[in-house]
Amino acid sequence: VIYPPHSKLTDKEKTNICYLSFPDSNSGCLGDTQFCFRFRQSPGRKVSLCCFLDQLDRDLPVYLKKDSAYYYGYVYFRQVRDKSLKRGYFQKSLVLISKLPYVHLFRTMLKQIAPEYFEKSEAFLEAVCSDIDRWPPPVPGKVLQLPIMGVIMKLRIPTYRDKPGTTPIVQNMHQADAQISMALPTVHEVDLFRCFCPVFFHIQMLWELVLLGEPLVVMAPSPAESSETVLALVSCISPLKYCSDFRPYFTIHDSEFKEYTTRTQAPPSVILGVTNPFFAKTLQHWPHIIRIGDIRLPGEVPKQVKVKKLKNLKTLDSKPGVYTSYKPYLNKDEEIVKQLQKGVQQKRPTEAQSVILRRYFLELTESFIIPLERYVASLMPLQKCISPWKSPPQLRQFSQDDFMKTLEKAGPQLTSGLKGDWIGLYRHFLKSPNFDGWFRSRQKEMTQKLEALHLEALCNEVRKIQKNTEVETVDLVLKLKNKLLQADREHLPVKTDTLKKLQTHINDIILALPDDLQDILLKTGT
């Protein structure tokens, strides 16, 4: 069953969704299980929602922007004994498909509706859909109230202006009416500490592997563990966006199975979460494998564990741990390990442990990225180079050598006490998809900034125009009109006030021209 009934999915998408919506048979997930997956959108399909979401995308932090090529699937699976059924079990999944990576929001929502749906009929889904139809648009930065089957979820979607690492608290107000309200502390974060607990001693090495876009496999006993761990890995380099593909739950039926498991070329830059024992054989040649047992919060401190050699990983029964021959570039930070171990001994709540871990990753990523931000900002031309009569100047080229020279005086040592081969880490990072994605988005922002400054320079010039020839005036009007169209089309960071002034100036200039020219110019570009 699909709701709303007019939703269009290609056959390939339907097949992918069907296989990804159930745990592998060996997982033995009895009871209720929640997990998430990600799959490729079939090429060539038009999505009416995209233009609407694009407007909201502009205000999101980069790691929450939607990826036009992928969908997320959020699953609530139930498997219980039922003698009245032929197979002896009731097995059903309710799956929510969305472009939005709001894991915590959709997980909470499914928890509200799935158990009731399993008890009732399809008519219940219609009621759910009519609730969702009343939701306001997912505008970043606003406190949103989303009604769902008698409960109101209150939440706030982050914006790119939020200081990284801070989450404005959504207060739980007392409702005067009968509806219960529920404040969500986050829309997208997973329980970091719980996910990293099994590989506690290797968090810094895993951060390096994710930062560098290395091929990683997470082998877990169930899709719940595999999907949470993959999402935790991807989020550990936030506020940087992880730019390669990642699959929180991946099966042998996936349409990309052949592409990702072939031995004829090096493993691709992806993070896969798998549960099928078959993968222990198929992905033996992958360089970094994380093997996870059942995720339980430790009552006692986990024992120190060495990184294991890949040749020891023969089956999915191999002991939990990290299997790799990778040598980290940075020296180990013993401080964070001690801090988290102390938390375990003092029975500190897992949310508090996650906050400590998230702050640690954030500081590490920011220490790494600030020198790059500083160098890239220096590639911007000076304001005096911007002339209204010439095209906007170009950004200077990124030079690896020049950047490396800046590290001696303005490197990560200014904000991080960690020693190690930072230069080697940067060299490796500059070849990675994460650098490519980061640099392209910075380039786009800076080019738009230049276009905006150019527009403002034009605006200032217009006021001085008194004694131009008709030809020059017409040329200027056409230039200005194109510029206005571009500002609108590319959402240039220009003040609305500037645009209004410019439009008024254009109209004044046109009205000062002979009638025949006025007619032509007023028609152009409308």
Side-chain angles (χ1 to χ4, degrees):
V1 176
I2 296 185
Y3 273 89
H6 59 263
S7 311
K8 299 269 188 296
L9 288 168
T10 65
D11 289 344
K12 190 178 180 182
E13 286 169 343
K14 281 182 189 166
T15 308
N16 270 337
I17 292 168
C18 287
Y19 279 120
L20 289 163
S21 298
F22 289 97
D24 279 312
S25 52
N26 64 294
S27 296
C29 300
L30 266 177
D32 291 2
T33 308
Q34 279 191 269
F35 59 95
C36 120
F37 59 82
R38 191 168 173 263
F39 65 100
R40 233 178 244 177
Q41 179 180 310
S42 294
R45 63 174 288 169
K46 289 189 171 55
V47 182
S48 55
L49 257 182
C50 277
C51 49
F52 165 66
L53 288 176
D54 282 345
Q55 296 168 351
L56 303 171
D57 235 31
R58 290 202 301 276
D59 288 334
L60 285 170
V62 62
Y63 54 88
L64 282 183
K65 289 184 189 295
K66 67 173 173 44
D67 190 325
S68 53
Y70 291 90
Y71 278 110
Y72 283 84
Y74 301 97
V75 183
Y76 193 107
F77 168 69
R78 173 170 287 184
Q79 174 165 277
V80 286
R81 285 183 192 281
D82 186 340
K83 290 192 180 128
S84 66
L85 295 170
K86 197 173 166 188
R87 300 180 69 166
Y89 280 97
F90 169 94
Q91 291 167 312
K92 211 171 211 182
S93 277
L94 182 61
V95 186
L96 191 146
I97 304 291
S98 175
K99 282 269 174 201
L100 305 171
Y102 303 156
V103 190
H104 187 71
L105 163 62
F106 294 128
R107 189 190 164 86
T108 310
M109 178 187 154
L110 279 172
K111 228 183 219 155
Q112 286 299 317
I113 59 175
E116 211 168 328
Y117 162 65
F118 293 139
E119 306 291 322
K120 297 181 177 172
S121 64
E122 260 81 64
F124 178 73
L125 286 187
E126 280 183 36
V128 169
C129 285
S130 71
D131 264 355
I132 297 174
D133 281 340
R134 292 168 31 218
W135 287 10
V139 178
K142 268 187 172 176
V143 173
L144 304 174
Q145 301 199 17
L146 313 181
I148 193 82
M149 303 320 286
V151 173
I152 289 187
M153 297 188 291
K154 294 198 172 156
L155 52 105
R156 180 187 177 277
I157 296 165
T159 80
Y160 72 90
R161 294 181 202 86
D162 295 352
K163 187 170 176 285
T166 59
T167 317
I169 300 294
V170 178
Q171 292 302 328
N172 209 344
M173 274 103 68
H174 291 292
Q175 290 288 20
D177 57 320
Q179 291 206 304
I180 310 153
S181 83
M182 189 160 114
L184 271 59
T186 169
V187 288
H188 66 286
E189 287 169 352
V190 291
D191 187 340
L192 264 197
F193 180 66
R194 225 182 107 244
C195 298
F196 280 120
C197 218
V199 285
F200 190 85
F201 290 97
H202 311 303
I203 48 175
Q204 195 177 317
M205 177 176 74
L206 294 175
W207 173 83
E208 283 190 23
L209 293 174
V210 175
L211 180 77
L212 301 172
E214 285 286 307
L216 260 172
V217 188
V218 174
M219 295 185 174
S222 82
E225 272 111 8
S226 88
S227 64
E228 289 212 342
T229 308
V230 170
L231 292 168
L233 285 165
V234 167
S235 75
C236 79
I237 58 165
S238 168
L240 264 184
K241 182 185 173 75
Y242 179 78
C243 295
S244 296
D245 189 9
F246 60 94
R247 302 300 175 91
Y249 175 50
F250 189 73
T251 75
I252 56 175
H253 305 287
D254 202 285
S255 49
E256 279 78 60
F257 174 73
K258 277 199 178 73
E259 178 190 331
Y260 283 169
T261 55
T262 172
R263 282 173 183 253
T264 52
Q265 57 207 54
S269 167
V270 290
I271 302 179
L272 297 182
V274 303
T275 63
N276 192 324
F278 182 69
F279 280 108
K281 213 175 279 154
T282 342
L283 300 177
Q284 245 175 3
H285 61 297
W286 276 46
H288 322 288
I289 293 171
I290 303 171
R291 174 82 190 83
I292 280 179
D294 290 320
I295 296 187
R296 286 196 195 89
L297 279 175
E300 69 288 342
V301 183
K303 303 282 181 285
Q304 174 71 11
V305 214
K306 285 201 168 67
V307 171
K308 299 175 169 59
K309 295 197 168 50
L310 277 162
K311 63 174 190 296
N312 299 344
L313 184 85
K314 291 289 178 285
T315 65
L316 208 62
D317 307 333
S318 306
K319 286 198 168 67
V322 179
Y323 292 77
T324 178
S325 51
Y326 176 81
K327 295 276 174 288
Y329 286 97
L330 303 181
N331 302 349
K332 195 163 180 175
D333 187 340
E334 299 295 348
E335 204 43 54
I336 181 72
V337 175
K338 281 186 201 145
Q339 205 180 349
L340 291 171
Q341 279 180 318
K342 192 175 162 195
V344 173
Q345 284 160 344
Q346 295 173 345
K347 305 219 176 335
R348 190 186 288 146
T350 159
E351 295 81 14
Q353 294 276 72
S354 285
V355 168
I356 292 169
L357 194 48
R358 192 167 277 114
R359 191 183 320 127
Y360 161 75
F361 281 136
L362 175 70
E363 286 169 3
L364 195 52
T365 306
E366 286 190 327
S367 292
F368 180 79
I369 211 73
I370 286 169
L372 273 163
E373 291 277 7
R374 198 180 283 125
Y375 170 71
V376 167
S378 74
L379 304 178
M380 186 89 163
L382 296 170
Q383 186 134 9
K384 64 180 182 195
C385 307
I386 298 170
S387 154
W389 302 111
K390 292 182 189 152
S391 297
Q394 299 287 306
L395 293 172
R396 291 209 310 283
Q397 288 290 311
F398 186 101
S399 148
Q400 184 170 328
D401 294 342
D402 289 353
F403 166 63
M404 291 299 178
K405 282 176 198 153
T406 66
L407 293 175
E408 200 178 326
K409 287 200 175 70
Q413 69 277 11
L414 297 181
T415 50
S416 170
L418 267 188
K419 299 280 182 278
D421 181 10
W422 285 95
I423 301 275
L425 187 61
Y426 280 113
R427 280 217 158 86
H428 194 153
F429 177 71
L430 294 180
K431 297 189 194 102
S432 75
N434 287 333
F435 168 71
D436 189 51
W438 172 81
F439 183 61
R440 268 199 271 193
S441 103
R442 298 297 290 120
Q443 229 175 352
K444 187 181 168 190
E445 275 171 38
M446 288 160 73
T447 308
Q448 287 194 330
K449 180 82 181 126
L450 280 173
E451 291 285 0
L453 289 168
H454 186 240
L455 187 92
E456 287 182 6
L458 266 172
C459 200
N460 296 333
E461 195 60 33
V462 169
R463 294 176 199 140
K464 304 173 195 168
I465 293 165
Q466 299 294 325
K467 299 179 179 130
N468 281 24
T469 64
E470 270 180 19
V471 174
E472 286 170 332
T473 308
V474 169
D475 182 46
L476 180 76
V477 168
L478 293 174
K479 247 193 198 132
L480 290 172
K481 285 196 157 204
N482 277 335
K483 209 72 193 167
L484 277 176
L485 286 171
Q486 182 193 8
D488 185 51
R489 189 177 57 244
E490 294 174 19
H491 309 292
L492 296 182
V494 187
K495 297 185 191 86
T496 332
D497 198 32
T498 307
L499 295 178
K500 278 185 186 151
K501 271 186 199 156
L502 195 52
Q503 190 60 62
T504 315
H505 286 317
I506 293 175
N507 295 341
D508 291 346
I509 296 169
I510 293 176
L511 293 173
L513 291 168
D515 292 353
D516 54 342
L517 279 177
Q518 277 189 39
D519 288 347
I520 295 167
L521 289 174
L522 288 167
K523 276 178 196 148
T524 331
T526 50

